[in-house]
């Protein structure tokens, strides 16, 4: 049964459910030619190795999408292929997009990066710990709030502060959600109203057609089915997180999109659209240190983006992982190279990291 499924998948991979305006060769980050046939073959082999049901990917050269390709199945059981209309959950890639959204409020003077958030909106869930009054938008966006990633991961399921805000790095979706609550308060609206504000400030100017933080009818109709690490379908309608977040603008995790749409936002960052130069400088500069790799290269978090030191100082990237959906993007804002991929598996971030090395090769 497994062999039969893989054979069917291979047929789809090699026959190519594809796309839009692909060229026969592309450039990697070092300006080395790579044929699309070779790239597609590499991706097909990686999908087979990682047991990824479906994949959609876009490659950017000189701030333009030069290759978009879809592979495999959006629905394994019904043998529905991934197409250019298939929508995926971008999970934590939301954070980078949300950070650009936040900066529109900063530019308008409606939000100060360094003003404590409680002065905009007190937070009853953490009011018992006075240290929360030190938390600012800058601290949130650079993951220095001290909040856990999600309170559900704590033994007592309680929101808490695990270190003094601004003194350390600690990845936190909870903090991003608090900042979204502040924006909602500034707008004097509900979550749907905040979605409308995102569409007005970011999506519409960049011509993002089907990128939302709150799942709409189009996303529901076209979304891929999710699969766990064993390749089994996840009943997402009964999933705790799906039910908890339904109808909520979940700033750190709820973006829905696909590569052609998401690449428009990436190109917008490369070309410094919407925001001012100084805003992009603030967004992209390192604010907190994540770790030092064995190679000696330091990994940093800016405001919504991951980046690195040395030769990688102009590279920005982020992964995303929700149940059954994992994703990855990387862009070099100076070379104006990038790629973004979405999968309906638990191995999209793994593939994204593999491609980091693949796109740095001196020859193919």
């Amino acid at each position: 049964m497994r062999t039969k499924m893989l054979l069917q998948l291979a047929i789809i991979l090699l026959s190519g459910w594809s796309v839009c305006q692909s060229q026969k060769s592309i450039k990697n980050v070092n300006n080395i030619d790579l044929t699309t046939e070779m790239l597609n073959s590499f991706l097909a082999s990686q999908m087979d190795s990682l047991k990824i049901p479906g994949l959609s990917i876009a490659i950017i050269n000189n701030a333009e999408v030069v290759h978009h390709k879809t592979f495999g199945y959006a629905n394994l059981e019904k043998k529905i292929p991934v197409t250019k209309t298939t929508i995926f959950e971008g999970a934590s890639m939301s954070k980078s997009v949300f950070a650009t959204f936040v900066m529109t409020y900063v530019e308008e003077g409606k939000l100060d990066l360094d003003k404590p958030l409680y002065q905009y909106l007190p937070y009853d869930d953490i009011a018992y710990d006075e240290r929360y009054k030190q938390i600012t938008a800058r601290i949130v966006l650079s993951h220095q709030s001290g909040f856990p990633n999600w309170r559900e991961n704590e033994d007592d399921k309680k929101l808490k502060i695990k270190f003094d805000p601004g003194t350390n790095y600690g990845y936190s979706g909870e903090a991003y959600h608090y900042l979204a609550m502040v924006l909602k308060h500034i707008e004097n609206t509900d979550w749907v109203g905040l979605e409308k504000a995102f569409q007005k400030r970011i999506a519409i100017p960049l011509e993002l057609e089907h990128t939302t933080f709150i799942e709409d009818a189009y996303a529901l109709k076209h979304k891929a089915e999710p699969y766990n690490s064993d390749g089994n379908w996840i009943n997402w309608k009964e999933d705790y997180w799906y039910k908890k977040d339904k109808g909520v603008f979940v700033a750190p995790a709820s973006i829905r999109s696909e590569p052609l749409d998401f690449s428009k936002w990436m190109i917008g960052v490369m070309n410094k659209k919407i925001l001012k130069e100084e805003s992009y400088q603030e967004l992209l500069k390192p604010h907190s240190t994540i770790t030092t790799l064995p190679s000696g290269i330091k990994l940093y978090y800016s405001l919504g983006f991951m980046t690195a030191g040395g030769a990688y100082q102009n590279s920005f990237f982020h992964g995303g992982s929700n149940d059954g959906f994992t994703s990855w993007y990387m862009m070099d804002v100076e070379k104006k190279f990038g790629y973004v991929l979405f999968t309906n598996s638990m191995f999209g971030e793994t593939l994204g990291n593999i491609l980091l090395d693949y796109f740095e090769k001196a020859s193919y």
Side-chain angles (χ1 to χ4, degrees):
M1 187 70 175
R2 185 66 176 169
T3 302
K4 183 178 179 182
M5 187 274 284
L6 291 177
L7 179 60
Q8 291 170 331
L9 179 59
I11 291 171
I12 284 184
L13 295 178
L14 295 176
S15 62
W17 292 96
S18 95
V19 58
C20 102
Q21 299 177 358
S22 293
Q23 57 187 43
K24 291 190 176 181
S25 67
I26 60 177
K27 302 284 187 180
N28 75 3
V29 70
N30 294 316
N31 206 37
I32 304 299
D33 284 322
L34 165 64
T35 66
T36 56
E37 291 79 9
M38 190 175 298
L39 172 61
N40 293 340
S41 177
F42 177 78
L43 290 169
S45 68
Q46 291 299 315
M47 285 183 69
D48 185 56
S49 175
L50 295 169
K51 306 298 186 290
I52 295 174
L55 165 71
S56 189
I57 187 170
I59 314 295
I60 297 169
N61 284 174
N62 296 318
E64 293 183 357
V65 174
V66 294
H67 185 61
H68 171 236
K69 185 79 171 174
T70 61
F71 302 81
Y73 292 109
N75 185 318
L76 272 174
E77 290 70 30
K78 295 182 179 180
K79 302 298 183 285
I80 298 173
V82 176
T83 70
K84 66 180 182 180
T85 64
T86 303
I87 297 295
F88 298 83
E89 293 184 18
S92 285
M93 293 202 315
S94 304
K95 295 178 175 70
S96 304
V97 181
F98 177 68
T100 59
F101 178 47
V102 169
M103 290 304 293
T104 65
Y105 290 88
V106 175
E107 287 192 353
E108 291 176 6
K110 293 181 177 179
L111 179 75
D112 188 320
L113 282 175
D114 299 307
K115 180 178 177 179
L117 294 183
Y118 87 94
Q119 293 183 18
Y120 296 98
L121 179 68
Y123 197 6
D124 291 343
D125 290 6
I126 195 65
Y128 69 91
D129 190 331
E130 283 286 310
R131 292 179 297 172
Y132 103 91
K133 293 183 176 180
Q134 301 170 33
I135 296 173
T136 64
R138 186 189 304 277
I139 283 174
V140 165
L141 293 174
S142 58
H143 290 303
Q144 299 182 79
S145 68
F147 284 176
N149 190 19
W150 296 110
R151 69 188 73 187
E152 285 88 348
N153 298 334
E154 300 299 302
D155 291 339
D156 59 4
K157 312 299 182 187
K158 187 176 181 180
L159 182 60
K160 61 191 65 172
I161 296 177
K162 307 182 86 167
F163 57 81
D164 290 343
T167 65
N168 205 345
Y169 171 85
Y171 195 78
S172 177
E174 290 280 0
Y176 269 65
H177 190 60
Y178 179 27
L179 181 52
M181 291 165 59
V182 169
L183 292 190
K184 179 164 66 77
H185 179 73
I186 289 171
E187 287 281 0
N188 190 28
T189 189
D190 56 13
W191 290 122
V192 173
L194 192 61
E195 173 69 41
K196 289 178 180 178
F198 167 74
Q199 293 297 317
K200 179 181 179 181
R201 290 165 176 265
I202 299 294
I204 292 172
L206 292 177
E207 299 182 347
L208 310 185
E209 297 179 62
H210 300 297
T211 297
T212 64
F213 277 82
I214 296 178
E215 196 167 58
D216 60 9
Y218 183 93
L220 277 170
K221 180 179 179 180
H222 295 280
K223 194 169 80 170
E225 293 293 324
Y227 296 88
N228 66 20
S229 56
D230 295 320
N232 297 319
W233 175 70
I234 295 173
N235 186 1
W236 52 274
K237 289 184 180 179
E238 297 302 319
D239 180 77
Y240 167 80
W241 292 102
Y242 181 81
K243 290 193 289 186
K244 174 178 180 280
D245 296 338
K246 188 174 182 180
V248 178
F249 187 110
V250 186
S254 69
I255 202 167
R256 267 70 171 169
S257 192
E258 52 80 29
L260 288 177
D261 234 28
F262 196 87
S263 65
K264 294 174 185 177
W265 168 80
M266 295 170 65
I267 291 167
V269 175
M270 291 177 184
N271 290 337
K272 296 182 171 59
K273 293 182 178 178
I274 296 180
L275 300 176
K276 298 175 182 176
E277 171 73 29
E278 53 266 35
S279 293
Y280 279 110
Q281 289 177 2
E282 203 66 60
L283 272 176
L284 301 179
K285 73 181 183 184
H287 282 75
S288 54
T289 301
I290 301 172
T291 190
T292 301
L293 299 175
S295 62
I297 295 174
K298 289 186 179 296
L299 288 181
Y300 302 103
Y301 211 90
S302 65
L303 300 183
F305 300 77
M306 296 177 70
T307 185
Y312 301 96
Q313 62 182 335
N314 295 315
S315 295
F316 300 90
F317 45 93
H318 215 295
S321 179
N322 285 352
D323 289 343
F325 292 100
T326 52
S327 51
W328 180 269
Y329 81 83
M330 173 271 174
M331 58 182 167
D332 186 308
V333 297
E334 290 299 314
K335 297 178 180 179
K336 298 194 175 183
F337 167 89
Y339 65 95
V340 54
L341 63 90
F342 292 86
T343 75
N344 56 345
S345 79
M346 296 308 296
F347 301 105
E349 286 184 294
T350 300
L351 179 56
N353 275 280
I354 289 170
L355 286 173
L356 280 175
D357 292 330
Y358 187 77
F359 283 127
E360 283 191 339
K361 285 190 173 186
S363 62
Y364 294 93

